[in-house]
Amino acid sequence: MINEESTLDQISSFNRGIVQRNPAEFEFHQAVQEFTESVMPFVKSNSKYDDGHILHRMTEPDRIIIFRVCWEDDSGHINCNRAWRVQFNNSIGPYKGGLRFHPSVTQSVLKFLGFEQTFKNALTGLPMGGAKGGSDFNPKGKSDREIMRFCQSLMIELSKYIGEDTDIPAGDIGVGGREISYLFGQYKKLTGRFVGTLTGKGLSYGGSLIRTEATGYGVIYFTGHMLGVINETLKGKKALVSGSGNVAIFCAEKLIDEGAKVLTLSDSGGFIHDPDGIDQEKLEWLKDLKFIKRGRISEYVNKYPNAKFYKDERPWKIKADLAFPCATQNELDKNDAKNLIENNILLVSEGANMPSTLDAAKLLQDAGVIFAPAKAANAGGVAVSGLEQSQNALRIPWSREEVDGRLKQIMEHIHKQCVEYGSTEEKSINYVKGANIAGFVKVADAMLAYGIG
Ligand code: NDP
Ligand code: 2IT
């Protein structure tokens, strides 16, 4: 009991230091707190990590690059945005992580994402360090030419800090195939080199098959393993999915493929509930709506009138077996968790990064809901980015089967690591603890091996 209390004190004291050193960076505080709650007891029982002050060292990013991005809109008006690249940790490989374009982007958001990316990438077993970048630029309502000018302007500066062996950006919220293509085209022009410095590229210019689908598919492969532990499968399960972007759509696609019934999808305007289930045909219509026409999820009910649109609401009050938050951070709070628990949800698997608040994650786990943290569940996207890098270096593209097979193996490997470090005395698996400690060990051992620096 005394030991437990002293570890709790050490966690709070460490997190007070984080808050003092990083004032007002709330998302970063949250990500570090979640991590230290499971890792601190492990560090305290392993003197090599404790003596090496590893936790303090790994919560300090290697560097943050901040720059101005000016661009001209279609009416000739000059706009100015702020952009960042947070190069968090390259102990086990070159920096790797996405770029986010969204008005809510701040240094705190990118630090939380870069921090989590470091451990997520370690879990994949591929040699990738952690980074994240992006801008407070809002791509909504912008023309293709405006997006192009913004991407080209951003790359003029970013190109100085990235490279196929130093830092390899990719997509995230607001950055998909169109943006990566503009960014890569500009990088190629500025450097005169055709190398795999960005991932998520188009298939005819160095992209990998399955990269678009990888995050969502990976979430479902991981979820399948979690259900396997309790002798369950996805077949016939009712699922809530939030978001309607890259991760959500392909999470829904693999759920449908596995015989589950997808009841909801959402965007920042609200969610749709289709009691008949969203089948593959409806999903194809949605892909066209969201990825080509760049429309809103509310339009779904005009096409499929049996469905209902809930303006400005989130899907977590609908009764189902499985929940997949796939939109953004903190989109599932304490009240949402209470609703899910009241409705006997079996499992929550995080497709987005840090979609559950600390309170919500704790409530769900305490209630016995099987809970997959983002670091483990959504690592399939960056894993296939790593495979894209391998194909670029080899100058040989792999088949769909080859890439999908490797993605499946990687998600199984991540699940095994969670079981190794997260198995409890009550014979259940604490996936949060398992993922955090497994990722930590890999990065920490490399940092210790390099000495102090
Ligand atoms: P997209 O831009 O393709 O889609 C984002 C979706 O989330 C949209 O439906 C968007 O709605 C919604 N959304 C975004 N911000 C908010 C907000 N503040 N409130 C409510 N809804 C919001 O992004 P991705 O699908 O790529 O990313 C989704 C999540 O998955 C993010 O957390 C990202 O970090 C994570 N992720 C992405 C990976 C990838 O490979 N792309 C890999 C691993 C994790 P709207 O259109 O209305 O803004
Ligand atoms: O959060 C993530 O893992 C991503 N946005 C994917 C990063 C990548 O480098 O593919």
Side-chain angles (χ1 to χ4, degrees):
M1 194 61 200
I2 290 169
N3 268 348
E4 225 172 75
E5 270 173 23
S6 80
T7 308
L8 284 178
D9 284 348
Q10 281 156 343
I11 295 171
S12 346
S13 146
F14 182 83
N15 282 298
R16 275 199 301 279
I18 289 286
V19 171
Q20 260 166 18
R21 290 192 295 281
N22 305 276
E25 294 189 341
F26 305 112
E27 295 84 2
F28 182 59
H29 304 162
Q30 182 182 339
V32 174
Q33 189 177 331
E34 188 253 20
F35 185 74
T36 46
E37 278 175 5
S38 39
V39 171
M40 184 72 88
F42 180 79
V43 168
K44 291 291 165 196
S45 57
N46 286 273
S47 58
K48 66 172 178 174
Y49 300 129
D50 202 18
D51 297 347
H53 284 268
I54 281 294
L55 268 180
H56 191 153
R57 287 157 66 186
M58 62 171 45
T59 46
E60 208 54 61
D62 289 353
R63 70 189 63 75
I64 301 177
I65 300 139
I66 311 180
F67 53 99
R68 179 181 73 230
V69 181
C70 292
W71 56 283
E72 198 176 355
D73 64 26
D74 290 345
S75 63
H77 180 76
I78 298 167
N79 297 268
C80 193
N81 286 94
R82 187 175 294 174
W84 293 260
R85 185 70 179 165
V86 179
Q87 296 184 328
F88 219 103
N89 190 306
N90 69 351
S91 299
I92 62 163
Y95 301 109
K96 178 87 195 90
L99 294 172
R100 178 178 290 192
F101 294 169
H102 195 273
S104 64
V105 165
T106 60
Q107 181 164 301
S108 166
V109 167
L110 297 176
K111 277 174 74 176
F112 114 66
L113 288 162
F115 178 71
E116 295 213 330
Q117 195 83 45
T118 302
F119 307 102
K120 180 199 303 194
N121 293 4
L123 287 170
T124 66
L126 300 174
M128 301 186 290
K132 203 82 186 193
S135 172
D136 56 9
F137 171 72
N138 184 0
K140 273 204 200 91
K142 303 287 187 301
S143 70
D144 285 353
R145 285 293 169 86
E146 288 173 329
I147 299 280
M148 179 190 77
R149 287 195 289 274
F150 176 78
C151 289
Q152 291 177 340
S153 180
L154 180 135
M155 186 50 86
I156 290 175
E157 188 63 22
L158 185 66
S159 63
K160 298 172 190 166
Y161 308 101
I162 60 174
E164 74 277 26
D165 291 323
T166 48
D167 184 354
I168 304 95
D172 193 79
I173 291 178
V175 179
R178 173 182 61 170
E179 291 74 18
I180 292 293
S181 302
Y182 291 143
L183 290 163
F184 182 65
Q186 179 77 332
Y187 178 81
K188 190 170 66 58
K189 197 171 174 69
L190 289 167
T191 61
R193 302 169 71 235
F194 194 111
V195 285
T197 298
L198 286 121
T199 59
K201 300 182 290 297
L203 291 178
S204 64
Y205 40 96
S208 173
L209 286 161
I210 305 278
R211 175 60 190 91
T212 310
E213 298 90 334
T215 312
Y217 282 15
V219 171
I220 301 309
Y221 295 151
F222 189 84
T223 304
H225 288 298
M226 297 169 87
L227 289 173
V229 171
I230 56 160
N231 294 319
E232 283 278 3
T233 66
L234 289 152
K235 204 170 168 49
K237 296 280 184 305
K238 289 186 180 148
L240 309 176
V241 181
S242 68
S244 49
N246 173 266
V247 179
I249 292 283
F250 291 102
C251 174
E253 182 161 280
K254 191 49 79 178
L255 278 167
I256 296 166
D257 209 32
E258 294 290 337
K261 189 170 183 182
V262 178
L263 296 178
T264 67
L265 282 168
S266 72
D267 61 23
S268 54
F271 80 93
I272 53 118
H273 175 210
D274 186 340
D276 304 332
I278 300 166
D279 60 17
Q280 191 61 38
E281 200 184 314
K282 294 173 180 174
L283 200 68
E284 292 304 326
W285 182 85
L286 274 164
K287 283 183 195 171
D288 180 65
L289 174 78
K290 298 302 288 190
F291 300 148
I292 312 289
K293 301 201 173 81
R294 300 185 189 275
R296 308 303 299 157
I297 200 72
S298 55
E299 296 170 50
Y300 183 91
V301 297
N302 304 333
K303 174 81 179 163
Y304 302 106
N306 256 3
K308 195 170 168 207
F309 176 62
Y310 293 81
K311 191 172 170 344
D312 294 330
E313 289 191 53
R314 305 191 283 214
W316 315 126
K317 62 180 185 185
I318 304 292
K319 193 167 167 47
D321 306 301
L322 315 170
F324 299 91
C326 294
T328 193
Q329 64 271 6
N330 293 328
E331 56 160 317
L332 196 162
D333 66 16
K334 202 164 132 183
N335 287 333
D336 299 320
K338 280 185 190 153
N339 283 337
L340 289 170
I341 293 165
E342 266 167 32
N343 283 334
N344 284 323
I345 197 88
L346 173 66
L347 175 152
V348 174
S349 195
E350 296 188 325
N353 285 311
M354 206 168 74
S356 316
T357 62
L358 286 172
D359 286 351
K362 192 168 178 338
L363 266 181
L364 290 166
Q365 291 171 83
D366 288 350
V369 176
I370 307 170
F371 183 82
K375 280 184 199 81
N378 76 24
V382 74
V384 174
S385 275
L387 301 180
E388 181 172 329
Q389 287 177 256
S390 304
Q391 295 168 76
N392 292 163
L394 288 168
R395 298 186 196 286
I396 297 175
W398 292 335
S399 67
R400 206 180 157 84
E401 292 68 36
E402 173 81 30
V403 180
D404 199 27
R406 284 177 186 262
L407 170 62
K408 284 182 181 153
Q409 277 172 10
I410 291 171
M411 297 317 293
E412 187 179 2
H413 171 66
I414 297 173
H415 186 265
K416 274 199 184 124
Q417 294 171 82
C418 291
V419 173
E420 184 183 343
Y421 287 101
S423 291
T424 68
E425 280 167 12
E426 296 81 39
K427 304 245 176 297
S428 65
I429 300 158
N430 181 335
Y431 287 92
V432 174
K433 181 177 165 197
N436 281 337
I437 297 181
F440 166 83
V441 166
K442 204 163 167 202
V443 178
D445 285 349
M447 289 177 78
L448 284 180
Y450 298 137
I452 303 165

